[in-house]
Amino acid sequence: MERLTTFCTAFVPKAFLLLVFLLVNPAYAENITLNLKDADINALIDTVSKKTGKNFIVDPRVKGKVTVISSHPMDVEELYQVFLSILQVHGFSTVPSGNVIKIIPDASAKQAEIPTVNYRAPGIGDEMVTRVITLDNISASQLVPILRPLIPQHGHLAAYARTNVLIITDRAANITRLAQIIKRIDLEGDNDIEVIRLEYASASEIVKIITSLEQKDAKDAPASDRPILVADDRTNSILMSGDKSNRIRMRMIVSHLDTPLESGGNTNVIYLHYAKAKELVPILTGVSANITEVKRPQGGTTRIPAAGNKVSIEADEQTNALVISAPPDIMRSLQAVIKKLDIRRAQVLVEAIIAEVSSTKGAELGVQWASSASTAGSNVTAGGISLSGTDSKAINSFNLGSLQQGLSIGHFTKGTIRGLLRALASDVKTNVLSTPNLVTLDNEEAEIIVGENVPFITGQFTNNTTTPDNPFQTIERHDVGIVLKVKPQINEGDAVKLDITQEVSSVQNDTSGTSLTTNKRSIKTSVLVDDKQIIVLGGLIKDDLQETVQKVPLLGDIPLLGMLFRNTATDLVKTNLMVFLRPEILRNGQDTFIQTNSKYEFIRKLQQARREEGVGLMYDNNAPVLPKLEMRLPVPYQETDEDINSIKNIINDNRAEE
């Protein structure tokens, strides 16, 4: 039979050889031996279809010559598996689709409807399948870089982190091999986490010491082999992660360091950055009085405070430091309180806007009459009319020095009737805008005064003689101007509570010089306003109209003619005053720098403009100008050693994952 097969292979076309071989040998209808050399792959597909009873749909891209060397017969199942291997060698795959099987290139197979298998039915041989493998102990994303080189280019490998699974599309045999590799890798490790509670030493200090040692001794060691230590200051414990050998070694170091001091106590000097040491002493003394080590008697529930917990807290004002002597557990609690209190306090910039617009109008018209007769060479007034607003001296002598304001027209003849007409109109407008600014710390009262210290006469004494004896005059001085007192309180968020006292005062014009009259407007209130928002505190709106008429009875009521016996004065005063406030929270040095720089440059530009304008009658203009402000923008955040170590640990973890 073998001679016949060899003879036919040499002289009969390869495609026809297989058909003749099966027809002339009915004994081998079920068991087939394949020996092919450069046979057309489509002929092989046709033969396998007849022997296995499977229907195939062949992609037009499926072409090529097949060579198979076999020495023993195969049954139908073995024939089909050999057929799948032949397709795999030539870059083709089978994809079941109902009652037919599609034969397509490998590059298109993973997007087709290939079967999804599991560990119970993983598929056979070179069948293209998809399998989902669940991991229990390690991360699926960490296995992807390890398994990627074992997957052919036409295959697919992906990790789904939420359920920690791997999705693999490839030949069933290769996926089975990968599953065995994953099973050996996905094992429980000894990287447990231990919690070591300290009794005497500080957890943060122990972690710093051990971390420094590990960084020096394990520079070249992989990040995965290095232990990770984290301090929990609240419970004074150390959380340790790593393999068992490293954890045993670290535990021994911690046990040697966690020993009581020989003196039985602990004294620390803590330098403060922002708070005042003297102000913290009563607070810490009260806190330490409530922090006592307690113990429970056996079988009881009553807590008994332990003796020997003496705490001493002193303040050194020169260095702004606290000197604390206390047991380690109380010392840790006090350090935590100091850390919370010794923080940079926010500041508040308060900008007050005082706007006043006023208008005063007045009008006056009056006539004065007088008559006199000459007696013994002198003038004596025999009668006349004197009303408010006019001056009798003016009508007697018509002296320019004794005339009042306004237009005065009179007739003066010695020994005859004299008359004086006076008319006056006034219009005064005032527009005052004041913007006092003030910066203060949170919960600290501040005051700014911009004005004058004006003297007020309170008493005087003099003798009615030509040469007075020891005359004297007493005065009091008062601040007249703008006064702003404010105490801010920053609430949680951006709201600011302000306790405000606002006063605006001024001195009226005084002609006598002996008494002064002041105008005063003040507001005292508490308000709540958001950061950088404007709020109106209050204001004054005044509209005062006053008309005064003085006349001679009967004569002043005569139409037209009565105007010669009347004096009319009208005053109209309108005042509009509003006070606004705008707080801005300065939480850090950067905010303070921005505000300071903007106002500094504003004043500097005004001085530069004045220098450019020059000063009259001077050749050399050396008007003073502020120097250019050179300030470094403060760094809002400074990294500490703990932050740097945390960042290094994160980088090492990322490298380990990669």
Side-chain angles (χ1 to χ4, degrees):
M1 187 63 188
E2 293 179 355
R3 293 179 179 179
L4 179 60
T5 302
T6 303
F7 176 79
C8 294
T9 302
F11 299 100
V12 182
K14 280 39 173 204
F16 182 73
L17 174 64
L18 181 62
L19 299 177
V20 174
F21 179 81
L22 295 174
L23 291 174
V24 299
N25 296 280
Y28 289 89
E30 295 299 333
N31 296 326
I32 305 170
T33 301
L34 287 180
N35 278 306
L36 304 176
K37 184 177 181 181
D38 295 333
D40 185 60
I41 192 171
N42 288 297
L44 176 63
I45 294 173
D46 182 64
T47 301
V48 173
S49 175
K50 292 180 179 179
K51 293 299 179 182
T52 60
K54 299 180 183 294
N55 301 320
F56 296 106
I57 298 177
V58 183
D59 189 279
R61 294 171 290 179
V62 178
K63 298 178 181 179
K65 300 295 182 177
V66 177
T67 298
V68 182
I69 300 174
S70 177
S71 60
H72 66 277
M74 298 174 289
D75 57 14
V76 175
E77 292 297 329
E78 293 177 343
L79 174 64
Y80 186 71
Q81 292 301 322
V82 172
F83 173 67
L84 294 178
S85 299
I86 294 172
L87 295 178
Q88 186 267 336
V89 170
H90 289 79
F92 304 114
S93 301
T94 59
V95 178
S97 178
N99 296 326
V100 299
I101 298 175
K102 295 182 287 185
I103 301 177
I104 58 177
D106 287 338
S108 303
K110 59 183 178 181
Q111 284 90 18
E113 299 177 358
I114 58 178
T116 301
V117 298
N118 52 40
Y119 72 97
R120 294 175 180 171
I124 302 175
D126 293 323
E127 179 184 4
M128 184 69 73
V129 296
T130 298
R131 183 170 172 179
V132 179
I133 301 176
T134 304
L135 303 178
D136 298 324
N137 301 297
I138 62 175
S139 174
S141 58
Q142 294 180 352
L143 278 183
V144 171
I146 300 174
L147 300 179
R148 178 71 67 184
L150 304 179
I151 302 294
Q153 187 175 3
H154 62 269
H156 176 72
L157 174 64
Y160 186 60
R162 295 186 62 180
T163 56
N164 200 34
V165 297
L166 285 173
I167 303 173
I168 307 175
T169 299
D170 198 5
R171 308 288 177 180
N174 192 35
I175 294 179
T176 302
R177 179 175 68 96
L178 294 177
Q180 295 176 355
I181 296 174
I182 294 172
K183 185 177 180 181
R184 295 185 178 183
I185 298 176
D186 189 23
L187 300 176
E188 294 184 1
D190 57 353
N191 289 331
D192 295 335
I193 298 177
E194 291 187 20
V195 179
I196 304 175
R197 182 151 188 169
L198 305 181
E199 185 177 359
Y200 303 102
S202 172
S204 301
E205 296 297 331
I206 297 297
V207 169
K208 288 182 180 179
I209 294 172
I210 297 179
T211 303
S212 301
L213 292 174
E214 290 299 315
Q215 289 178 350
K216 294 180 180 179
D217 298 338
K219 291 183 178 179
D220 300 331
S224 58
D225 295 339
R226 300 176 186 175
I228 300 175
L229 290 87
V230 179
D232 182 17
D233 293 330
R234 187 179 63 87
T235 59
N236 195 36
S237 304
I238 297 178
L239 283 74
M240 185 184 306
S241 175
D243 58 51
K244 189 174 182 179
S245 59
N246 282 331
R247 284 187 281 112
I248 293 174
R249 182 170 57 89
M250 292 296 103
R251 198 184 309 123
M252 293 177 60
I253 297 175
V254 171
S255 63
H256 284 291
L257 295 177
D258 187 26
T259 56
L261 298 177
E262 295 181 358
S263 59
N266 193 3
T267 301
N268 279 349
V269 178
I270 302 175
Y271 295 94
L272 303 181
H273 299 282
Y274 305 103
K276 291 184 179 180
K278 187 176 180 180
E279 295 178 355
L280 285 185
V281 168
I283 299 175
L284 298 177
T285 302
V287 172
S288 62
N290 296 325
I291 302 175
T292 55
E293 185 180 358
V294 297
K295 62 180 181 179
R296 287 180 180 270
Q298 296 181 357
T301 58
T302 304
R303 292 195 173 192
I304 304 174
N309 291 333
K310 295 182 179 180
V311 179
S312 174
I313 304 174
E314 300 292 338
D316 182 14
E317 296 185 26
Q318 294 183 352
T319 59
N320 194 35
L322 292 170
V323 182
I324 303 177
S325 296
D329 54 342
I330 299 180
M331 179 68 72
R332 287 189 296 269
S333 300
L334 293 179
Q335 288 176 342
V337 174
I338 294 172
K339 186 177 181 181
K340 295 291 185 181
L341 295 179
D342 187 26
I343 60 174
R344 182 190 180 100
R345 295 167 61 186
Q347 301 182 101
V348 179
L349 169 64
V350 180
E351 297 178 343
I353 303 174
I354 305 169
E356 179 179 358
V357 179
S358 62
S359 175
T360 303
K361 295 183 178 181
E364 183 179 347
L365 179 63
V367 179
Q368 184 177 3
W369 296 97
S371 64
S372 63
S374 177
T375 304
S378 61
N379 294 330
V380 178
T381 301
I385 301 173
S386 178
L387 302 174
S388 174
T390 60
D391 192 352
S392 59
K393 295 181 179 180
I395 196 171
N396 287 335
S397 60
F398 205 72
N399 187 357
L400 294 177
S402 61
L403 293 178
Q404 294 183 349
Q405 296 179 351
L407 175 64
S408 298
I409 301 175
H411 173 72
F412 173 71
T413 303
K414 190 173 183 180
T416 62
I417 297 177
R418 303 164 188 176
L420 180 63
L421 172 66
R422 181 172 178 269
L424 174 65
S426 61
D427 189 357
V428 180
K429 296 181 180 180
T430 304
N431 183 9
V432 180
L433 178 65
S434 303
T435 56
N437 297 341
L438 187 61
V439 178
T440 180
L441 281 173
D442 183 25
N443 279 323
E444 294 289 342
E445 186 180 52
E447 178 182 6
I448 183 173
I449 300 176
V450 180
E452 300 175 347
N453 192 262
V454 180
F456 290 85
I457 299 175
T458 59
Q460 59 183 356
F461 171 78
T462 183
N463 295 332
N464 294 328
T465 61
T466 305
T467 57
D469 183 17
N470 192 22
F472 66 88
Q473 190 176 61
T474 59
I475 62 173
E476 287 185 358
R477 291 186 175 271
H478 296 278
D479 293 330
V480 176
I482 298 173
V483 179
L484 174 63
K485 292 182 181 180
V486 61
K487 183 178 181 180
Q489 179 182 343
I490 303 175
N491 297 331
E492 188 69 24
D494 293 332
V496 183
K497 180 189 175 189
L498 298 171
D499 295 330
I500 304 162
T501 300
Q502 174 75 54
E503 180 180 317
V504 181
S505 58
S506 61
V507 180
Q508 288 187 346
N509 293 330
D510 182 71
T511 58
S512 63
T514 58
S515 62
L516 297 177
T517 303
T518 58
N519 299 321
K520 181 179 179 181
R521 301 171 178 86
S522 64
I523 296 174
K524 186 175 182 180
T525 182
S526 296
V527 296
L528 187 67
V529 59
D530 291 335
D531 182 28
K532 299 180 182 178
Q533 300 298 319
I534 299 178
I535 187 172
V536 59
L537 298 182
L540 172 64
I541 300 177
K542 180 182 178 182
D543 195 347
D544 186 7
L545 175 62
Q546 184 177 2
E547 184 176 4
T548 304
V549 179
Q550 292 181 328
K551 61 183 177 179
V552 178
L554 299 178
L555 295 178
D557 296 331
I558 300 174
L560 298 179
L561 185 61
M563 297 178 61
L564 300 176
F565 305 96
R566 285 201 305 263
N567 184 76
T568 304
T570 303
D571 294 321
L572 176 61
V573 180
K574 290 185 177 181
T575 303
N576 296 320
L577 174 66
M578 287 289 175
V579 179
F580 302 90
L581 211 65
R582 178 184 179 273
E584 180 174 353
I585 301 175
L586 308 178
R587 297 190 180 275
N588 48 48
Q590 183 176 356
D591 295 341
T592 306
F593 169 80
I594 293 173
Q595 287 296 331
T596 302
N597 185 62
S598 62
K599 297 187 183 300
Y600 189 94
E601 289 298 326
F602 172 73
I603 294 296
R604 187 170 181 271
K605 289 179 181 178
L606 288 180
Q607 292 181 338
Q608 288 176 340
R610 181 57 57 90
R611 171 177 281 188
E612 293 176 358
E613 292 176 1
V615 181
L617 304 180
M618 289 188 180
Y619 298 102
D620 187 12
N621 182 19
N622 290 324
V625 177
L626 288 172
K628 186 172 180 58
L629 184 62
E630 295 182 0
M631 295 179 63
R632 294 183 179 180
L633 190 64
V635 180
Y637 174 74
Q638 294 289 344
E639 293 180 345
T640 61
D641 294 337
E642 294 180 2
D643 298 330
I644 295 175
N645 292 333
S646 300
I647 295 172
K648 289 181 179 179
N649 292 334
I650 294 174
I651 295 174
N652 293 333
D653 293 341
N654 293 336
R655 290 177 177 174
E657 291 178 2
E658 295 175 357

